[in-house]
Amino acid sequence: MITHNDDVDWDNWPVADYLAENYREVHPSDAAVITHHSAFYRRLPPGSLGCSVEFGAGPNLYPLILAAGASRRVDAVEAGAGNVAYLERQLLVEPDASWLPFHALCRRLNPDLPATLAGALAQVRVVHGDVRELPPGGYDLASMHFVAEGATEDYAEFAEFCRAFVRSVAPGGYLVAAFMENMPTYRIGPASRWPGCPVNPDLVTEVFAPLTSELDVTRIDTDPTLPDYGDSGMVLLAGRTR
């Protein structure tokens, strides 16, 4: 049977295992994504965007850091209760020290970012909700990392998540994203199983080309320093809504 998004208990996403496996250090793939995205963000004047959205934020802070230079507010929209609790602790108490090297790399590549990690996260607001219910055109920029292809095993539902992502941005607004390439259903930690929808640059282009202008899709190779989830790398996207 194909697993769809609503079949999954996202409140029980294994936050600690996911962070331990992926974000306790800056892996080469992180550096490649941050380099790609920083080149995109450097084109935008500091504070020029009223509000950006991280579409399915998860517990990953570096996309929020990246958006801080251009955005006066960043909404981190997330459905899973565990991820929301983690994000709120990072913002309201103190971010984990493991995110400091991520901030340092982001700022080295884009000096418009706030000088401190806390400063970069100061304009972030955590929103506990379903990204599919975001109002159309509510944001100047949308960012998405490993969400649409990791929320379902159904290609049609993957495409609908992508359309909702684009729909959340005003006409002429900005899009930046990263997808796991050819990611199958996968495990995090010792036991938990999560859906995967294998995608590649051609499929991502097919979904986004009718919805965007200035679309740029590229890829990076698989990262041997990360757990073997069965993927073949990452697909990176930047563009504007029509």
Side-chain angles (χ1 to χ4, degrees):
M1 291 181 60
I2 292 177
T3 300
H4 294 87
N5 180 78
D6 291 341
D7 299 328
V8 179
D9 181 6
W10 295 107
D11 287 342
N12 284 322
W13 175 259
V15 178
D17 288 334
Y18 180 71
L19 291 171
E21 291 180 9
N22 292 276
Y23 294 117
R24 289 312 183 201
E25 61 182 279
V26 180
H27 294 276
S29 57
D30 301 318
V33 174
I34 290 170
T35 299
H36 173 270
H37 288 7
S38 294
F40 167 81
Y41 278 109
R42 284 197 304 270
R43 296 162 39 199
L44 306 177
S48 60
L49 305 179
C51 192
S52 300
V53 61
E54 185 61 29
F55 192 91
N60 182 3
L61 296 194
Y62 79 67
L64 307 176
I65 297 168
L66 285 164
S71 307
R72 298 192 295 277
R73 193 183 90 200
V74 180
D75 283 356
V77 181
E78 169 60 37
N83 285 327
V84 167
Y86 178 80
L87 290 171
E88 289 178 339
R89 286 197 304 273
Q90 299 303 292
L91 301 179
L92 299 176
V93 183
E94 184 179 27
D96 294 345
S98 55
W99 294 110
L100 289 169
F102 288 88
H103 171 261
L105 176 60
C106 292
R107 190 160 191 265
R108 187 159 66 247
L109 293 169
N110 184 5
D112 291 333
L113 290 176
T116 66
L117 175 56
L121 298 174
Q123 56 266 68
V124 177
R125 180 182 72 161
V126 180
V127 179
H128 191 180
D130 188 330
V131 290
R132 296 170 295 181
E133 298 174 359
L134 290 173
Y139 293 98
D140 301 307
L141 177 147
S143 169
M144 176 171 66
H145 292 78
F146 321 120
V147 172
E149 79 285 13
T152 180
E153 296 174 358
D154 180 16
Y155 283 101
E157 192 171 30
F158 162 79
E160 181 49 43
F161 266 99
C162 294
R163 286 191 288 269
F165 170 62
V166 175
R167 193 165 58 239
S168 70
V169 178
Y174 298 93
L175 302 167
V176 62
F179 307 84
M180 300 303 296
E181 184 183 64
N182 293 313
M183 174 78 103
T185 297
Y186 62 101
R187 292 189 181 278
I188 295 176
S192 66
R193 177 183 178 275
W194 303 92
C197 184
V199 302
N200 56 47
D202 289 342
L203 182 61
V204 170
T205 300
E206 179 183 325
V207 171
F208 280 90
L211 309 172
T212 60
S213 63
E214 303 177 22
L215 180 65
D216 179 68
V217 177
T218 186
R219 67 173 300 280
I220 58 176
D221 287 332
T222 188
D223 186 341
T225 71
L226 289 171
D228 183 4
Y229 294 121
D231 63 279
S232 58
M234 296 179 183
V235 180
L236 308 180
L237 175 148
R240 302 187 72 171
T241 56
R242 288 190 179 277

